[in-house]
Amino acid sequence: MAILITGGCGYIGSHTCIEMLDAGYDIVVIDNYYNSKPEALRRVKEISGKEFPFYECDIRDAEGLRKVFSAHKIEAVIHFAGLKAVGESVREPLMYYDNNVAGTVVLCQVMAEMGCKRIIFSSSATVYGTGNPSPLKEEMPTGAVTNPYGRTKFMIEGILADLCVSDPEWSAVLLRYFNPIGAHESGHIGEDPNGIPNNLMPYISQVAIGKLQKLSVFGDDYDTPDGTGVRDYIHVVDLARGHVKAVGYALEHNGVEAINLGTGVGYSVLDLVNAFKSANSVDVPYAIAPRRDGDVATCYSDPAKAAALLGWKAEKNVEDMCRDTWRWQSQNPKGYDE
Ligand code: NAD
Ligand code: UD1
């Protein structure tokens, strides 16, 4: 019996492969390499000291998926495969609905056909939209999203919930990630964004290494302690371990559950800049810039449900997140392109 990991070559997927292997699971990985490189999985194998099957396969390719499900006995799927750039989703909405929403529908159709009805889905805190106060709890209303990327996550949550209603054999765990940052402790795998990063932590680390000149801090007039945006940053290895727990849960329970994966603690942009500087003894020049469209002032989780249902809580602190990001960035200034 094995767990299929879609998008397992990407940032969160590669870290999850390691934690799943360490926990003793057999895994099978598929990815279409749209936003990742084979080198990531080569390093996963090196770090874990284990081999596993990989297929270059698109989740929209039903025939390709059938071959994978026929070759292996798949008990459950961890579904990371998806596109995630907010700005790009505004410019290319159909590409996002096709890849993320239609792709998930094809995946679930093949799963049902092959008798595998357990899925752990990568959702996002973005589904809480703009109307809810932090700490964000799973029972709060969702759907007031500000962009097509967020809408794909909201739509897929609804599709998986409908599936669980239609057939009580289905189990769907909707993991709502807060802000994953950091890298594996080894420094061998981490986030390798294409082009100029959109997200704060990869931007900070590329400024620190001199690839980018200075960070623009998007707004210092929010209603927060220092005026800059507050987020719930979570170490990617903690997040990966949350998936191991979620697989255990999905194997034992049917029905749908949305579960936050966050620390429950908010840090401002300037908190993170200062933590990065002091953890790594590097400089991070920055300038205050206008607010970014679609940003909220504050977003952090109530992580109680993950503790209660999964027995999981984040263990790493912001210093670990900054130190591990820098180890990856400084050892791999060109990402996986060495
Ligand atoms: P990533 O881009 O590093 O990984 C996604 C992987 O999926 C990539 O390797 C990509 O090549 C693959 N992929 C994309 N479309 C595919 C398709 N049609 N068929 C097969 N493979 C495909 O992203 P990540 O940061 O590891 O995110 C993983 C998941 O978590 C995504 O669904 C993302 O939306 C979600 N998520 C990420 C964050 C974040 O901050 N990184 C936050 C919330 C949710
Ligand atoms: C963003 C996305 C969200 C997605 C998440 C993970 C938007 C509006 N939201 O979340 O949908 O799920 O990434 O991919 O894009 N910041 C700066 N300067 C920068 C970059 C960011 O000041 O160069 C600030 C932002 O204003 C924010 C904080 O840093 O206050 C975190 O930003 P980011 O890392 O992009 O994450 P989110 O906006 O929380």
Side-chain angles (χ1 to χ4, degrees):
M1 294 292 243
I3 306 299
L4 177 66
I5 305 185
T6 77
C9 201
Y11 172 46
I12 304 170
S14 56
H15 289 83
T16 302
C17 288
I18 292 179
E19 298 305 317
M20 287 292 289
L21 290 165
D22 280 359
Y25 283 100
D26 287 329
I27 62 169
V28 175
V29 177
I30 64 169
D31 203 298
N32 67 356
Y33 291 135
Y34 181 83
N35 194 35
S36 52
K37 306 201 177 79
E39 177 64 9
L41 285 188
R42 198 194 62 72
R43 294 190 189 186
V44 166
K45 291 178 179 176
E46 196 174 86
I47 294 166
S48 65
K50 291 183 179 159
E51 281 296 322
F52 50 86
F54 170 79
Y55 297 84
E56 186 170 343
C57 175
D58 193 296
I59 53 165
R60 293 163 295 182
D61 171 9
E63 214 27 66
L65 290 176
R66 279 188 197 103
K67 283 189 191 135
V68 176
F69 278 88
S70 302
H72 306 275
K73 196 138 186 46
I74 305 291
E75 266 185 301
V77 176
I78 309 180
H79 178 31
F80 292 108
L83 305 180
K84 61 165 184 178
V86 172
E88 183 183 59
S89 80
V90 175
R91 292 188 300 275
E92 301 277 353
L94 294 179
M95 187 166 112
Y96 274 67
Y97 292 121
D98 177 45
N99 195 83
N100 293 7
V101 181
T104 302
V105 171
V106 172
L107 173 67
C108 290
Q109 282 168 335
V110 174
M111 286 175 67
E113 192 183 309
M114 302 310 240
C116 171
K117 299 183 180 176
R118 304 189 181 278
I119 186 165
I120 290 89
F121 171 61
S122 299
S123 189
S124 166
T126 196
V127 299
Y128 290 111
T130 48
N132 293 300
S134 290
L136 294 161
K137 298 179 199 298
E138 289 84 351
E139 64 272 19
M140 286 176 168
T142 54
V145 292
T146 53
N147 56 72
Y149 162 75
R151 204 170 331 276
T152 68
K153 295 296 177 191
F154 175 68
M155 290 167 80
I156 296 166
E157 284 202 358
I159 290 168
L160 295 177
D162 289 343
L163 206 46
C164 290
V165 171
S166 75
D167 177 350
E169 285 181 8
W170 272 92
S171 168
V173 182
L174 316 174
L175 296 177
R176 294 180 179 159
Y177 309 158
F178 281 70
N179 290 56
I181 59 172
H184 192 261
E185 238 191 351
S186 62
H188 293 320
I189 61 167
E191 188 170 13
D192 182 19
N194 278 329
I196 296 176
N198 298 306
N199 298 114
L200 180 60
M201 188 52 127
Y203 208 106
I204 289 178
S205 62
Q206 292 199 11
V207 169
I209 204 146
K211 247 175 148 176
L212 297 169
Q213 238 180 0
K214 68 174 174 225
L215 171 72
S216 296
V217 174
F218 297 144
D220 68 347
D221 55 354
Y222 285 107
D223 183 15
T224 60
D226 65 16
T228 67
V230 168
R231 297 291 183 274
D232 184 342
Y233 297 98
I234 172 167
H235 197 296
V236 66
V237 170
D238 275 333
L239 190 77
R241 290 179 181 155
H243 290 74
V244 177
K245 298 285 192 179
V247 168
Y249 182 87
L251 292 175
E252 307 260 301
H253 299 82
N254 294 358
V256 64
E257 286 292 350
I259 304 179
N260 289 339
L261 291 184
T263 65
V265 182
Y267 286 92
S268 75
V269 176
L270 295 182
D271 287 338
L272 199 65
V273 168
N274 290 329
F276 195 91
K277 290 199 319 200
S278 78
N280 301 313
S281 307
V282 289
D283 195 20
V284 181
Y286 69 84
I288 305 298
R291 291 181 178 193
R292 180 174 69 180
D293 273 356
D295 275 354
V296 294
T298 301
C299 171
Y300 61 89
S301 67
D302 177 340
K305 188 172 177 184
L309 255 48
L310 307 182
W312 171 92
K313 78 180 191 18
E315 283 167 0
K316 293 176 181 279
N317 61 27
V318 75
E319 195 185 330
D320 300 323
M321 302 180 208
C322 291
R323 195 198 50 226
D324 292 341
T325 299
W326 183 238
R327 189 178 295 117
W328 154 253
Q329 176 72 72
S330 51
Q331 288 179 12
N332 304 271
K334 295 184 184 152
Y336 290 116
D337 277 342
E338 293 298 297

